[in-house]
Amino acid sequence: MPERTDRSTPTTDDAADPGPAGHPATADHPGPAGQDPARAAHQAELARTREFFGARAAGWDAKFPDDGPRYAAAVAELGLRPGQRVLDAGCGTGRALPALRAAVGPDGAVTGVDVTPEMLAEAAAHRAEATLLLADCAELPLPDAAFDAVFAAGLISHLPAPALALRELARVTRPGGLLALFHPVGRAALAARHGRQITPDDLRAEPNLRPLLAAAGWELASYTDEDDRYLALGRRTG
């Protein structure tokens, strides 16, 4: 999934999703169908993500025309072999799909999942390398241990419940399989691009990411955070 400017604080284009009668989801107004507050907040964050990316999907690839080689290099780090099965979690417009298909070959399986219909429509229109699913990464309609590897570009910053989604990605990955958390620029460069500074609570920082992954069933195998690439590789434990 591409990077949103600020996940936690909506911009003018990224308005909050109200609960019933215009109220935010709270204990008194728990959201649709009597959802508990945590569930309602999760759904509201997904709605904000869909709103943000849905409005930008058609022109997204044109904004980042030079990222292709970086995606290909990150996919290569997974060491995929012909015939393997790989999931692109938060696939967006599908920029990683050609490299993933090339890695697993015609006998392999590539599945792309995203929560924004417009992003998937762009992927379907321009890239035929994968089976595409509209789904929340925290609730995947996929069987246990279905994949040899997971690729996730820009995903973790947009997860309403990162621990929950990382556990779900672990569920659908076989023991020993790899997870690649990728971004085509590093944390400092990305923050500078948006006029921000890195904060100590950034989940992508190694001291924060390592225990988060461990609690979800992954062991952090390698970590790179440079100006022109962010790549954390996790190995499925168990």
Side-chain angles (χ1 to χ4, degrees):
M1 179 180 291
E3 187 74 20
R4 214 171 84 191
T5 300
D6 185 347
R7 186 181 69 84
S8 60
T9 306
T11 64
T12 303
D13 294 329
D14 190 20
D17 186 54
H23 293 285
T26 64
D28 294 328
H29 301 281
Q35 290 178 355
D36 63 78
R39 176 69 174 176
H42 182 97
Q43 294 300 320
E45 181 62 26
L46 292 181
R48 286 191 287 269
T49 296
R50 291 188 188 101
E51 180 181 1
F52 182 90
F53 287 111
R56 294 160 173 79
W60 193 263
D61 285 356
K63 291 179 63 176
F64 307 102
D66 302 322
D67 285 349
R70 296 180 187 179
Y71 272 77
V75 168
E77 295 283 347
L78 284 172
L80 293 166
R81 300 188 302 274
Q84 288 193 311
R85 301 158 298 167
V86 61
L87 173 67
D88 188 351
C91 66
T93 58
R95 288 186 288 173
L97 296 180
L100 293 170
R101 171 55 68 190
V104 301
D107 295 328
V110 181
T111 302
V113 171
D114 203 274
V115 76
T116 303
E118 293 87 348
M119 284 288 194
L120 286 178
E122 290 295 312
H126 302 295
R127 300 177 174 100
E129 292 88 356
T131 299
L132 299 176
L133 298 176
L134 179 66
D136 176 4
C137 284
E139 298 181 84
L140 294 170
L142 297 164
D144 294 354
F147 298 98
D148 298 292
V150 177
F151 186 85
L155 177 68
I156 194 168
S157 300
H158 305 293
L159 295 171
L164 181 63
L166 288 170
R167 285 196 297 270
E168 181 71 346
L169 294 177
R171 181 187 68 80
V172 301
T173 305
R174 64 166 175 80
L178 290 180
L179 165 69
L181 299 176
F182 167 72
H183 198 283
V185 297
R187 294 187 306 126
L190 183 63
R193 176 187 293 177
H194 298 307
R196 295 185 280 110
Q197 293 183 338
I198 297 175
T199 58
D201 61 349
D202 185 350
L203 291 180
R204 295 164 296 181
E206 183 175 6
N208 300 328
L209 183 63
R210 186 179 294 276
L212 180 66
L213 288 174
W218 303 95
E219 179 185 9
L220 185 61
S222 67
Y223 183 90
T224 302
D225 184 12
E226 301 169 344
D227 283 350
D228 60 353
R229 182 171 76 156
Y230 176 90
L231 181 64
L233 290 178
R235 188 176 303 278
R236 177 73 167 93
T237 57

PDB file of all heavy atoms in Angstrom, residues 112-139:
ATOM      1  N   GLY A 112      -3.031 -10.528  -4.679  1.00  0.00           N
ATOM      2  CA  GLY A 112      -2.964  -9.157  -4.202  1.00  0.00           C
ATOM      3  C   GLY A 112      -4.204  -8.824  -3.394  1.00  0.00           C
ATOM      4  O   GLY A 112      -5.324  -9.121  -3.825  1.00  0.00           O
ATOM      5  N   VAL A 113      -4.016  -8.218  -2.234  1.00  0.00           N
ATOM      6  CA  VAL A 113      -5.130  -7.841  -1.360  1.00  0.00           C
ATOM      7  C   VAL A 113      -5.033  -6.355  -1.061  1.00  0.00           C
ATOM      8  O   VAL A 113      -3.949  -5.841  -0.757  1.00  0.00           O
ATOM      9  CB  VAL A 113      -5.089  -8.639  -0.037  1.00  0.00           C
ATOM     10  CG1 VAL A 113      -6.115  -8.096   0.951  1.00  0.00           C
ATOM     11  CG2 VAL A 113      -5.335 -10.107  -0.289  1.00  0.00           C
ATOM     12  N   ASP A 114      -6.160  -5.673  -1.140  1.00  0.00           N
ATOM     13  CA  ASP A 114      -6.189  -4.254  -0.757  1.00  0.00           C
ATOM     14  C   ASP A 114      -7.585  -3.931  -0.255  1.00  0.00           C
ATOM     15  O   ASP A 114      -8.570  -4.603  -0.619  1.00  0.00           O
ATOM     16  CB  ASP A 114      -5.818  -3.352  -1.929  1.00  0.00           C
ATOM     17  CG  ASP A 114      -5.305  -1.994  -1.449  1.00  0.00           C
ATOM     18  OD1 ASP A 114      -6.142  -1.095  -1.216  1.00  0.00           O
ATOM     19  OD2 ASP A 114      -4.083  -1.838  -1.299  1.00  0.00           O
ATOM     20  N   VAL A 115      -7.687  -2.883   0.559  1.00  0.00           N
ATOM     21  CA  VAL A 115      -8.954  -2.497   1.151  1.00  0.00           C
ATOM     22  C   VAL A 115      -9.672  -1.437   0.322  1.00  0.00           C
ATOM     23  O   VAL A 115     -10.831  -1.122   0.586  1.00  0.00           O
ATOM     24  CB  VAL A 115      -8.723  -2.006   2.594  1.00  0.00           C
ATOM     25  CG1 VAL A 115      -8.116  -0.603   2.614  1.00  0.00           C
ATOM     26  CG2 VAL A 115      -9.995  -2.054   3.415  1.00  0.00           C
ATOM     27  N   THR A 116      -9.003  -0.874  -0.706  1.00  0.00           N
ATOM     28  CA  THR A 116      -9.571   0.217  -1.500  1.00  0.00           C
ATOM     29  C   THR A 116      -9.969  -0.282  -2.888  1.00  0.00           C
ATOM     30  O   THR A 116      -9.103  -0.658  -3.681  1.00  0.00           O
ATOM     31  CB  THR A 116      -8.559   1.368  -1.634  1.00  0.00           C
ATOM     32  OG1 THR A 116      -8.177   1.804  -0.322  1.00  0.00           O
ATOM     33  CG2 THR A 116      -9.157   2.535  -2.393  1.00  0.00           C
ATOM     34  N   PRO A 117     -11.256  -0.280  -3.229  1.00  0.00           N
ATOM     35  CA  PRO A 117     -11.686  -0.805  -4.531  1.00  0.00           C
ATOM     36  C   PRO A 117     -11.040  -0.095  -5.718  1.00  0.00           C
ATOM     37  O   PRO A 117     -10.699  -0.741  -6.710  1.00  0.00           O
ATOM     38  CB  PRO A 117     -13.206  -0.580  -4.521  1.00  0.00           C
ATOM     39  CG  PRO A 117     -13.577  -0.502  -3.079  1.00  0.00           C
ATOM     40  CD  PRO A 117     -12.402   0.120  -2.377  1.00  0.00           C
ATOM     41  N   GLU A 118     -10.881   1.221  -5.622  1.00  0.00           N
ATOM     42  CA  GLU A 118     -10.317   1.961  -6.751  1.00  0.00           C
ATOM     43  C   GLU A 118      -8.864   1.568  -7.022  1.00  0.00           C
ATOM     44  O   GLU A 118      -8.423   1.537  -8.174  1.00  0.00           O
ATOM     45  CB  GLU A 118     -10.411   3.462  -6.491  1.00  0.00           C
ATOM     46  CG  GLU A 118     -11.831   4.014  -6.452  1.00  0.00           C
ATOM     47  CD  GLU A 118     -12.479   3.920  -5.076  1.00  0.00           C
ATOM     48  OE1 GLU A 118     -11.928   3.236  -4.186  1.00  0.00           O
ATOM     49  OE2 GLU A 118     -13.545   4.545  -4.896  1.00  0.00           O
ATOM     50  N   MET A 119      -8.111   1.292  -5.988  1.00  0.00           N
ATOM     51  CA  MET A 119      -6.738   0.833  -6.169  1.00  0.00           C
ATOM     52  C   MET A 119      -6.716  -0.525  -6.868  1.00  0.00           C
ATOM     53  O   MET A 119      -5.922  -0.760  -7.788  1.00  0.00           O
ATOM     54  CB  MET A 119      -6.021   0.755  -4.816  1.00  0.00           C
ATOM     55  CG  MET A 119      -5.606   2.103  -4.269  1.00  0.00           C
ATOM     56  SD  MET A 119      -4.223   2.798  -5.222  1.00  0.00           S
ATOM     57  CE  MET A 119      -3.683   4.127  -4.153  1.00  0.00           C
ATOM     58  N   LEU A 120      -7.585  -1.427  -6.435  1.00  0.00           N
ATOM     59  CA  LEU A 120      -7.649  -2.738  -7.073  1.00  0.00           C
ATOM     60  C   LEU A 120      -8.102  -2.634  -8.526  1.00  0.00           C
ATOM     61  O   LEU A 120      -7.646  -3.403  -9.381  1.00  0.00           O
ATOM     62  CB  LEU A 120      -8.592  -3.656  -6.301  1.00  0.00           C
ATOM     63  CG  LEU A 120      -8.068  -4.196  -4.972  1.00  0.00           C
ATOM     64  CD1 LEU A 120      -9.143  -5.050  -4.300  1.00  0.00           C
ATOM     65  CD2 LEU A 120      -6.802  -5.008  -5.157  1.00  0.00           C
ATOM     66  N   ALA A 121      -8.985  -1.690  -8.804  1.00  0.00           N
ATOM     67  CA  ALA A 121      -9.427  -1.499 -10.191  1.00  0.00           C
ATOM     68  C   ALA A 121      -8.261  -1.079 -11.073  1.00  0.00           C
ATOM     69  O   ALA A 121      -8.133  -1.534 -12.223  1.00  0.00           O
ATOM     70  CB  ALA A 121     -10.544  -0.460 -10.256  1.00  0.00           C
ATOM     71  N   GLU A 122      -7.382  -0.206 -10.554  1.00  0.00           N
ATOM     72  CA  GLU A 122      -6.193   0.182 -11.311  1.00  0.00           C
ATOM     73  C   GLU A 122      -5.275  -1.012 -11.518  1.00  0.00           C
ATOM     74  O   GLU A 122      -4.720  -1.208 -12.607  1.00  0.00           O
ATOM     75  CB  GLU A 122      -5.450   1.298 -10.575  1.00  0.00           C
ATOM     76  CG  GLU A 122      -6.160   2.637 -10.575  1.00  0.00           C
ATOM     77  CD  GLU A 122      -6.279   3.217 -11.975  1.00  0.00           C
ATOM     78  OE1 GLU A 122      -5.267   3.232 -12.702  1.00  0.00           O
ATOM     79  OE2 GLU A 122      -7.385   3.650 -12.340  1.00  0.00           O
ATOM     80  N   ALA A 123      -5.094  -1.814 -10.480  1.00  0.00           N
ATOM     81  CA  ALA A 123      -4.250  -3.000 -10.610  1.00  0.00           C
ATOM     82  C   ALA A 123      -4.820  -3.965 -11.639  1.00  0.00           C
ATOM     83  O   ALA A 123      -4.083  -4.525 -12.469  1.00  0.00           O
ATOM     84  CB  ALA A 123      -4.116  -3.691  -9.255  1.00  0.00           C
ATOM     85  N   ALA A 124      -6.122  -4.164 -11.629  1.00  0.00           N
ATOM     86  CA  ALA A 124      -6.755  -5.083 -12.571  1.00  0.00           C
ATOM     87  C   ALA A 124      -6.665  -4.578 -14.005  1.00  0.00           C
ATOM     88  O   ALA A 124      -6.520  -5.360 -14.944  1.00  0.00           O
ATOM     89  CB  ALA A 124      -8.215  -5.302 -12.183  1.00  0.00           C
ATOM     90  N   ALA A 125      -6.727  -3.252 -14.164  1.00  0.00           N
ATOM     91  CA  ALA A 125      -6.719  -2.679 -15.507  1.00  0.00           C
ATOM     92  C   ALA A 125      -5.348  -2.717 -16.150  1.00  0.00           C
ATOM     93  O   ALA A 125      -5.234  -2.834 -17.379  1.00  0.00           O
ATOM     94  CB  ALA A 125      -7.229  -1.237 -15.454  1.00  0.00           C
ATOM     95  N   HIS A 126      -4.312  -2.628 -15.353  1.00  0.00           N
ATOM     96  CA  HIS A 126      -2.972  -2.461 -15.912  1.00  0.00           C
ATOM     97  C   HIS A 126      -2.026  -3.622 -15.655  1.00  0.00           C
ATOM     98  O   HIS A 126      -0.963  -3.696 -16.268  1.00  0.00           O
ATOM     99  CB  HIS A 126      -2.345  -1.172 -15.351  1.00  0.00           C
ATOM    100  CG  HIS A 126      -3.153   0.049 -15.635  1.00  0.00           C
ATOM    101  ND1 HIS A 126      -3.367   0.519 -16.912  1.00  0.00           N
ATOM    102  CD2 HIS A 126      -3.821   0.893 -14.810  1.00  0.00           C
ATOM    103  CE1 HIS A 126      -4.134   1.601 -16.862  1.00  0.00           C
ATOM    104  NE2 HIS A 126      -4.423   1.852 -15.603  1.00  0.00           N
ATOM    105  N   ARG A 127      -2.397  -4.531 -14.744  1.00  0.00           N
ATOM    106  CA  ARG A 127      -1.493  -5.628 -14.401  1.00  0.00           C
ATOM    107  C   ARG A 127      -2.312  -6.894 -14.215  1.00  0.00           C
ATOM    108  O   ARG A 127      -3.201  -6.952 -13.363  1.00  0.00           O
ATOM    109  CB  ARG A 127      -0.721  -5.300 -13.126  1.00  0.00           C
ATOM    110  CG  ARG A 127       0.128  -4.028 -13.276  1.00  0.00           C
ATOM    111  CD  ARG A 127       0.825  -3.668 -11.968  1.00  0.00           C
ATOM    112  NE  ARG A 127       1.733  -2.549 -12.174  1.00  0.00           N
ATOM    113  CZ  ARG A 127       1.452  -1.295 -11.873  1.00  0.00           C
ATOM    114  NH1 ARG A 127       0.280  -0.973 -11.360  1.00  0.00           N
ATOM    115  NH2 ARG A 127       2.342  -0.325 -12.082  1.00  0.00           N
ATOM    116  N   ALA A 128      -1.992  -7.912 -14.991  1.00  0.00           N
ATOM    117  CA  ALA A 128      -2.756  -9.157 -14.972  1.00  0.00           C
ATOM    118  C   ALA A 128      -1.993 -10.285 -14.292  1.00  0.00           C
ATOM    119  O   ALA A 128      -2.254 -11.460 -14.550  1.00  0.00           O
ATOM    120  CB  ALA A 128      -3.110  -9.564 -16.410  1.00  0.00           C
ATOM    121  N   GLU A 129      -1.076  -9.943 -13.392  1.00  0.00           N
ATOM    122  CA  GLU A 129      -0.174 -10.945 -12.837  1.00  0.00           C
ATOM    123  C   GLU A 129      -0.716 -11.661 -11.613  1.00  0.00           C
ATOM    124  O   GLU A 129      -0.083 -12.570 -11.092  1.00  0.00           O
ATOM    125  CB  GLU A 129       1.170 -10.299 -12.452  1.00  0.00           C
ATOM    126  CG  GLU A 129       1.992  -9.818 -13.628  1.00  0.00           C
ATOM    127  CD  GLU A 129       1.649  -8.392 -14.046  1.00  0.00           C
ATOM    128  OE1 GLU A 129       0.716  -7.819 -13.463  1.00  0.00           O
ATOM    129  OE2 GLU A 129       2.316  -7.877 -14.946  1.00  0.00           O
ATOM    130  N   ALA A 130      -1.895 -11.265 -11.092  1.00  0.00           N
ATOM    131  CA  ALA A 130      -2.315 -11.779  -9.788  1.00  0.00           C
ATOM    132  C   ALA A 130      -3.820 -11.963  -9.704  1.00  0.00           C
ATOM    133  O   ALA A 130      -4.598 -11.364 -10.444  1.00  0.00           O
ATOM    134  CB  ALA A 130      -1.861 -10.826  -8.683  1.00  0.00           C
ATOM    135  N   THR A 131      -4.215 -12.793  -8.750  1.00  0.00           N
ATOM    136  CA  THR A 131      -5.589 -12.831  -8.281  1.00  0.00           C
ATOM    137  C   THR A 131      -5.762 -11.695  -7.282  1.00  0.00           C
ATOM    138  O   THR A 131      -4.950 -11.557  -6.361  1.00  0.00           O
ATOM    139  CB  THR A 131      -5.887 -14.173  -7.584  1.00  0.00           C
ATOM    140  OG1 THR A 131      -5.713 -15.230  -8.518  1.00  0.00           O
ATOM    141  CG2 THR A 131      -7.297 -14.203  -7.030  1.00  0.00           C
ATOM    142  N   LEU A 132      -6.771 -10.870  -7.459  1.00  0.00           N
ATOM    143  CA  LEU A 132      -6.953  -9.684  -6.628  1.00  0.00           C
ATOM    144  C   LEU A 132      -8.170  -9.846  -5.721  1.00  0.00           C
ATOM    145  O   LEU A 132      -9.235 -10.274  -6.173  1.00  0.00           O
ATOM    146  CB  LEU A 132      -7.121  -8.441  -7.499  1.00  0.00           C
ATOM    147  CG  LEU A 132      -5.933  -8.119  -8.420  1.00  0.00           C
ATOM    148  CD1 LEU A 132      -6.266  -6.921  -9.309  1.00  0.00           C
ATOM    149  CD2 LEU A 132      -4.669  -7.854  -7.618  1.00  0.00           C
ATOM    150  N   LEU A 133      -7.996  -9.491  -4.446  1.00  0.00           N
ATOM    151  CA  LEU A 133      -9.065  -9.624  -3.465  1.00  0.00           C
ATOM    152  C   LEU A 133      -9.270  -8.296  -2.742  1.00  0.00           C
ATOM    153  O   LEU A 133      -8.300  -7.647  -2.334  1.00  0.00           O
ATOM    154  CB  LEU A 133      -8.718 -10.690  -2.428  1.00  0.00           C
ATOM    155  CG  LEU A 133      -8.519 -12.123  -2.920  1.00  0.00           C
ATOM    156  CD1 LEU A 133      -8.083 -13.008  -1.752  1.00  0.00           C
ATOM    157  CD2 LEU A 133      -9.792 -12.658  -3.546  1.00  0.00           C
ATOM    158  N   LEU A 134     -10.519  -7.903  -2.553  1.00  0.00           N
ATOM    159  CA  LEU A 134     -10.862  -6.748  -1.741  1.00  0.00           C
ATOM    160  C   LEU A 134     -11.059  -7.240  -0.316  1.00  0.00           C
ATOM    161  O   LEU A 134     -12.019  -7.961  -0.030  1.00  0.00           O
ATOM    162  CB  LEU A 134     -12.145  -6.086  -2.267  1.00  0.00           C
ATOM    163  CG  LEU A 134     -12.647  -4.858  -1.494  1.00  0.00           C
ATOM    164  CD1 LEU A 134     -11.670  -3.699  -1.616  1.00  0.00           C
ATOM    165  CD2 LEU A 134     -14.033  -4.454  -1.997  1.00  0.00           C
ATOM    166  N   ALA A 135     -10.138  -6.895   0.575  1.00  0.00           N
ATOM    167  CA  ALA A 135     -10.204  -7.425   1.936  1.00  0.00           C
ATOM    168  C   ALA A 135      -9.351  -6.597   2.879  1.00  0.00           C
ATOM    169  O   ALA A 135      -8.414  -5.909   2.469  1.00  0.00           O
ATOM    170  CB  ALA A 135      -9.745  -8.883   1.968  1.00  0.00           C
ATOM    171  N   ASP A 136      -9.680  -6.696   4.146  1.00  0.00           N
ATOM    172  CA  ASP A 136      -8.915  -6.095   5.245  1.00  0.00           C
ATOM    173  C   ASP A 136      -7.799  -7.069   5.619  1.00  0.00           C
ATOM    174  O   ASP A 136      -8.048  -8.259   5.829  1.00  0.00           O
ATOM    175  CB  ASP A 136      -9.876  -5.879   6.413  1.00  0.00           C
ATOM    176  CG  ASP A 136      -9.217  -5.349   7.664  1.00  0.00           C
ATOM    177  OD1 ASP A 136      -8.000  -5.056   7.650  1.00  0.00           O
ATOM    178  OD2 ASP A 136      -9.932  -5.236   8.689  1.00  0.00           O
ATOM    179  N   CYS A 137      -6.574  -6.572   5.722  1.00  0.00           N
ATOM    180  CA  CYS A 137      -5.455  -7.452   6.058  1.00  0.00           C
ATOM    181  C   CYS A 137      -5.570  -8.057   7.451  1.00  0.00           C
ATOM    182  O   CYS A 137      -4.858  -9.015   7.768  1.00  0.00           O
ATOM    183  CB  CYS A 137      -4.130  -6.695   5.936  1.00  0.00           C
ATOM    184  SG  CYS A 137      -3.605  -6.449   4.220  1.00  0.00           S
ATOM    185  N   ALA A 138      -6.448  -7.516   8.273  1.00  0.00           N
ATOM    186  CA  ALA A 138      -6.666  -8.097   9.597  1.00  0.00           C
ATOM    187  C   ALA A 138      -7.720  -9.193   9.589  1.00  0.00           C
ATOM    188  O   ALA A 138      -7.905  -9.877  10.596  1.00  0.00           O
ATOM    189  CB  ALA A 138      -7.070  -7.005  10.584  1.00  0.00           C
ATOM    190  N   GLU A 139      -8.404  -9.373   8.455  1.00  0.00           N
ATOM    191  CA  GLU A 139      -9.442 -10.397   8.339  1.00  0.00           C
ATOM    192  C   GLU A 139      -9.400 -10.965   6.917  1.00  0.00           C
ATOM    193  O   GLU A 139     -10.266 -10.684   6.103  1.00  0.00           O
ATOM    194  CB  GLU A 139     -10.826  -9.810   8.630  1.00  0.00           C
ATOM    195  CG  GLU A 139     -10.989  -9.269  10.036  1.00  0.00           C
ATOM    196  CD  GLU A 139     -12.390  -8.712  10.280  1.00  0.00           C
ATOM    197  OE1 GLU A 139     -13.287  -9.511  10.611  1.00  0.00           O
ATOM    198  OE2 GLU A 139     -12.573  -7.495  10.112  1.00  0.00           O
TER     199      GLU A 139
END
